[in-house]
Amino acid sequence: MTHRKVLSPIFTVVVAFLICAVILGATSRQPRETLRWFFLGPFSNLYYFGNMLAASVPLIFTGLAACIAFSAGVFNLGLEGQYYFGAIVGTIIALSVPTSRLSSTLFVLVVSFSVGGLLSLASALLKLEFGFSELISSFMIGQIFIYVGDFMLNGPFRDPEAALAATRYLDEGIGLAKILPPSNLHVGYVIGLTLCLVFHFVRKHSVMGYEFKTVKENPRFAKIHGIKVEKIWLLAMLLSGGVAAVGGMVEILGVYGRAVRGFSHGNGFNGIAVSLLVRNDPALIFLSALFFAYLESGGEIASLMVQTPPEIVRLVQGIVFCLVTAEFLFRRSERDADSVA
Amino acid sequence: MLTQLLRSSISSALPILVAALGASFTQTVGKLNIAIEGTMLTSCFVSVYVAARSNSWLLGVTIAMILSCLMSLFVWFLHRYLRADIFVVGLGVNVAASGLVVLLSSILLGSKGTIFFEEIPKIPVLRFEALQRNETLRTLLSDYSVLELVAMFVVFLSWLITKTPLGLRMRAVGKNESVARQLGLNVDGIRISSFVFCGLLCGLAGSMLSLPLGLFVAGMTNNRGWLALVAAVLGGENPLGVLGVSLTLGFSVALSHRLQLFTALPAEIVLSIPLILTLCVVLIYNVLKIGEKGGSP
C-alpha cells in the first residue's frame, strides 16, 4: 500500500462528510440537531449501532461482487437486478422447502447464487459471442429482471393478506441467527467477511488469482501466455452475479424474512462504489461498506428524529461516487494501476 | 390506430434521440458520458420549475440547458483534471441527481410525489391548416409543439456538425488522441466542445419530458437516459445510425404505452418491453454485423 492508496480514500470520505454537513446544515430548520443525529445517531446506542452493521451486510456482498468482476477487468452493472431477482427466486424456493434445517438454508443460498450467476453470465456470453459491451447488456438485463421481480411479487407470489407487494413470511427456522438482539445484525455479516477474505487470498495466492490479474491487465498477453481469457471472464461474471444474489438472499434471510417489493433500494449499485472506494481491495470492503451504511443509518435516524429528507443520503452517495476515483493532491505520474480505467 | 402509434413513436423517440446525439458527441471524442440519465432528470425538474415560476417556457428550457451543460462540464472536469474514472463519475452524477431532484422538490415545493404545475405556460403548437382535412396526414405531420420542432432542427444540426471541420476533428481525436495532438489539434478544446454539446442536448431532452406535461415526478426519465446511451453506442459516430436506433426505441416505448392502455398485461411486464425489444434489436444488429464480416468479432 502506497501513501496515496491510503490517503485518497480518506480524503474522499472527509470531503463527502463536509459536503454532507453543508447540505444538511443548509436545508434543515434545526441544523445543530440534524447534524448531531446524522453523525452521532448511529453510535448513540447499541440498537442503532447493530442496525448500522446490519445495513453494511448487503453492501459487503455487492461490493465483493463488483470487486470480483473488476478483478478480471469486466464490468457488471447488473448487480442491482442480480441482487433483487436472485433473492426473490431464492425466497420463493425457500417457501416450498422443508425449513428449520441448515441444509435447506444452504440450498436456498445455492439457488440464489445460480440465478444471479446466470443473469450475469448471459451478459458475459453476449460480450464473447457478439462483442456486445457487457457494461450495457448487464445493466439492461438487470433492469429487465427487476421488472420481472416486481411482477412476481405483485402477481403470482404475492401474499394476499399483505398490504404491500410481498411474499409470505418465511418460516423462522430458515432465517439466519441474530448476533446483537434486538438489532438486526445477523450471521450474514460473518459470512460476508469470510467470503471477502477467501477472495482476498484466492486473488493473492492462487493460480486463479494470477490469471484474473493477468487477464485484467493485459488480455492479449494473457492469451499468448496460454490463459483462457474467455473462461476467466465468464467465471468472473458468474461469481460476481452469484455473490450479489447471495447478498440479497442473506438480507432476506437475516432481516426482512420475506421478499418485499423494492427491498434492494440501490444496494446493488452502491456495491460498485463500495468496491472502488477501497480500490477493489477485498480485504477492506467491509470498511467502505460500513461507511456507506453509516451514511444511510445516519440519514435514516435524522429523518426519524428531525424529519430531514432521507434523499440527502443519495445525494451524498452520488458525490462519493464522483470523488471515489478522483486523485486529489497527488502527483499524476503515480496513476494507480488498480483503479478502473 | 397505426398512424397514431407512429406519431406517438416519433414523440417518444425525440427526447431519446436528442439525448443520444449528445452522448454520441462524447463518444465520438472517445469519452462516453454516461451521466445522461441524471442530467436529463435534473433538467426535467429545473425546466418545469423555472417555467412555472417565470411564466416563460423559453426561460425554463434555457436555464435547464445551461445547467445541464454545467453538469456535463463537471463530469469532464473531474475526469480531465482530477483523473477520475469518467464512467464512475457518470454513475455518481446519476445517483446524486436522483437524490437532488427529490430534495429540491421537497424544499422548494414541499412535496416529494408527483407535482403538478398548474400555471405552466403552454408551449405553442404548429398547426398546418392545409392538413386538417386528411386524418392520416394530420396525425403524422401537424400539431408538433415548438419544442419538438426545435428538437428536429437540432437533430439536423448535429448531423450537419459531423460534416464540419469541428466534427471531423472530433472524430480524429476519438480515433487517435496522440496523432491528433501531433497534428496540432486542440484536443482539450475539442473534447470540451463535445461535452458542451452533450450538455445542451441533454438539457433540451429533459425539458421535452416535463414541460409539455407541466408536471414532475422523481422517476420521470424512467431509464430514457440509458436507452439514449444504447442508441448512442449502437449508432456510433453516424447520426443517422443514432436516428435509426432511437426511432426503434421510441416505437417500443410508444408500443408499451399502448399495451398498458389497451391490454390487461401487468404494468411491470409492459415497462420492461422497451428494454427487451432494445436488447433484441441490439442482438440482431450484432449478429448481422458479424455475418457481414464473415468472421468472429
Side-chain angles (χ1 to χ4, degrees):
Chain A
M1 276 262 211
T2 58
H3 255 328
R4 205 181 61 63
K5 250 182 140 181
V6 184
L7 280 176
S8 197
I10 293 177
F11 195 76
T12 306
V13 169
V14 170
V15 170
F17 274 145
L18 282 179
I19 294 173
C20 193
V22 169
I23 296 171
L24 281 173
T27 57
S28 166
R29 292 215 183 88
Q30 320 127 272
R32 192 174 299 172
E33 280 290 285
T34 314
L35 286 176
R36 194 166 72 87
W37 281 116
F38 193 93
F39 287 113
L40 300 179
F43 300 104
S44 59
N45 61 40
L46 216 53
Y47 175 72
Y48 284 147
F49 184 71
N51 276 354
M52 176 176 71
L53 288 182
S56 77
V57 175
L59 293 169
I60 293 177
F61 280 95
T62 53
L64 177 63
C67 175
I68 293 174
F70 287 143
S71 301
V74 277
F75 284 97
N76 182 0
L77 270 194
L79 288 170
E80 188 84 20
Q82 290 139 18
Y83 177 92
Y84 191 57
F85 190 71
I88 288 171
V89 175
T91 313
I92 289 163
I93 300 292
L95 283 169
S96 49
V97 293
T99 52
S100 66
R101 248 186 284 150
L102 188 61
S103 57
S104 53
T105 310
L106 279 177
F107 174 67
V108 167
L109 288 176
V110 170
V111 168
S112 309
F113 181 90
S114 339
V115 172
L118 282 179
L119 291 190
S120 54
L121 200 60
S123 26
L125 283 172
L126 288 181
K127 177 190 171 86
L128 297 180
E129 291 295 317
F130 306 116
F132 180 29
S133 157
E134 83 278 14
L135 216 131
I136 289 181
S137 73
S138 64
F139 176 81
M140 289 179 69
I141 294 174
Q143 283 296 317
I144 290 171
F145 278 90
I146 289 176
Y147 286 128
V148 175
D150 279 348
F151 164 69
M152 284 161 75
L153 290 183
N154 207 10
F157 298 100
R158 182 176 173 150
D159 176 9
E161 283 157 33
L164 69 176
T167 60
R168 277 184 291 126
Y169 274 104
L170 292 170
D171 206 73
E172 284 198 0
I174 202 171
L176 298 170
K178 302 268 178 203
I179 295 179
L180 203 68
S183 79
N184 281 331
L185 188 60
H186 53 88
V187 185
Y189 195 72
V190 184
I191 303 176
L193 285 186
T194 320
L195 285 181
C196 283
L197 288 180
V198 168
F199 185 63
H200 176 72
F201 281 107
V202 166
R203 214 170 72 150
K204 272 218 144 138
H205 302 291
S206 76
V207 177
M208 198 178 103
Y210 169 74
E211 290 178 338
F212 264 58
K213 197 168 167 227
T214 319
V215 169
K216 177 207 167 104
E217 263 151 36
N218 195 339
R220 235 153 119 197
F221 172 76
K223 203 166 219 163
I224 294 165
H225 229 60
I227 296 173
K228 293 199 175 75
V229 177
E230 283 85 7
K231 199 190 85 188
I232 296 292
W233 275 339
L234 289 176
L235 183 67
M237 279 305 254
L238 175 76
L239 287 178
S240 172
V243 167
V246 167
M249 197 60 229
V250 162
E251 180 74 351
I252 283 178
L253 290 175
V255 178
Y256 286 91
R258 59 174 176 172
V260 189
R261 182 177 182 150
F263 80 94
S264 59
H265 61 82
N267 276 334
F269 250 135
N270 286 339
I272 296 167
V274 164
S275 175
L276 287 172
L277 184 61
V278 287
R279 311 263 154 180
N280 305 321
D281 185 339
L284 294 177
I285 279 175
F286 80 101
L287 268 184
S288 63
L290 189 65
F291 168 68
F292 274 77
Y294 171 57
L295 287 179
E296 218 151 84
S297 351
E300 231 164 71
I301 296 169
S303 75
L304 209 66
M305 296 295 178
V306 278
Q307 275 82 47
T308 33
E311 284 75 20
I312 281 188
V313 178
R314 284 191 75 71
L315 182 57
V316 174
Q317 281 173 341
I319 293 168
V320 174
F321 257 126
C322 289
L323 303 180
V324 169
T325 53
E327 297 175 10
F328 304 94
L329 315 169
F330 307 100
R331 270 181 300 143
R332 277 196 192 150
S333 54
E334 266 192 272
R335 184 145 171 84
D336 192 333
D338 238 18
S339 72
V340 189
Chain B
M1 184 72 190
L2 190 68
T3 48
Q4 273 175 359
L5 181 63
L6 273 179
R7 171 63 207 265
S8 62
S9 306
I10 296 174
S11 291
S12 328
L14 272 175
I16 298 176
L17 174 58
V18 170
L21 285 171
S24 138
F25 274 118
T26 63
Q27 181 175 253
T28 309
V29 296
K31 298 282 173 189
L32 183 62
N33 176 12
I34 70 160
I36 306 264
E37 177 91 9
T39 316
M40 272 171 87
L41 186 62
T42 317
S43 46
C44 260
F45 176 80
V46 171
S47 63
V48 78
Y49 179 75
V50 173
R53 268 300 169 88
S54 66
N55 202 23
S56 150
W57 61 271
L58 196 59
L59 192 66
V61 178
T62 316
I63 302 274
M65 282 171 82
I66 292 173
L67 201 78
S68 74
C69 199
L70 290 179
M71 279 175 82
S72 124
L73 284 175
F74 171 75
V75 173
W76 173 245
F77 172 80
L78 278 180
H79 173 66
R80 177 66 182 81
Y81 296 103
L82 295 178
R83 306 211 121 210
D85 186 86
I86 196 161
F87 158 72
V88 181
V89 174
L91 278 184
V93 170
N94 290 338
V95 173
S98 71
L100 182 71
V101 287
V102 182
L103 196 65
L104 282 178
S105 79
S106 73
I107 293 171
L108 296 174
L109 303 155
S111 159
K112 283 184 194 172
T114 312
I115 302 161
F116 292 94
F117 293 85
E118 260 137 38
E119 59 273 42
I120 189 96
K122 272 252 176 305
I123 302 172
V125 168
L126 194 71
R127 179 163 292 169
F128 293 109
E129 287 305 330
L131 296 175
Q132 292 303 315
R133 268 189 234 130
N134 187 324
E135 182 83 27
T136 319
L137 282 179
R138 196 188 64 199
T139 17
L140 276 183
L141 295 176
S142 185
D143 292 8
Y144 286 101
S145 76
V146 172
L147 219 49
E148 284 175 311
L149 292 172
V150 169
M152 290 175 195
F153 180 65
V154 162
V155 173
F156 174 67
L157 215 58
S158 312
W159 175 75
L160 221 54
I161 287 178
T162 56
K163 306 283 171 205
T164 61
L166 179 62
L168 294 174
R169 280 177 194 149
M170 283 181 180
R171 280 173 72 170
V173 170
K175 283 254 158 31
N176 194 330
E177 188 184 338
S178 56
V179 169
R181 213 180 284 275
Q182 277 157 20
L183 285 174
L185 292 183
N186 179 2
V187 173
D188 276 335
I190 289 166
R191 287 202 165 134
I192 287 177
S193 63
S194 82
F195 271 76
V196 169
F197 284 139
C198 175
L200 292 175
L201 291 175
C202 287
L204 180 62
S207 345
M208 286 176 70
L209 292 178
S210 61
L211 271 182
L213 299 175
L215 64 84
F216 178 79
V217 209
M220 192 144 206
T221 46
N222 190 20
N223 284 334
R224 281 192 187 80
W226 292 98
L227 293 181
L229 278 180
V230 173
V233 170
L234 293 181
E237 288 157 8
N238 183 0
L240 295 179
V242 179
L243 176 74
V245 184
S246 306
L247 283 177
T248 320
L249 289 171
F251 174 74
S252 54
V253 170
L255 186 70
S256 77
H257 286 318
R258 293 274 138 154
L259 289 176
Q260 202 161 6
L261 283 177
F262 298 118
T263 62
L265 280 175
E268 295 89 354
I269 298 299
V270 170
L271 280 173
S272 66
I273 286 177
L275 290 168
I276 295 175
L277 266 179
T278 315
L279 208 57
C280 293
V281 170
V282 171
L283 274 181
I284 295 167
Y285 171 84
N286 272 289
V287 171
L288 289 180
K289 204 169 69 179
I290 293 170
E292 265 172 33
K293 280 183 197 154
S296 59

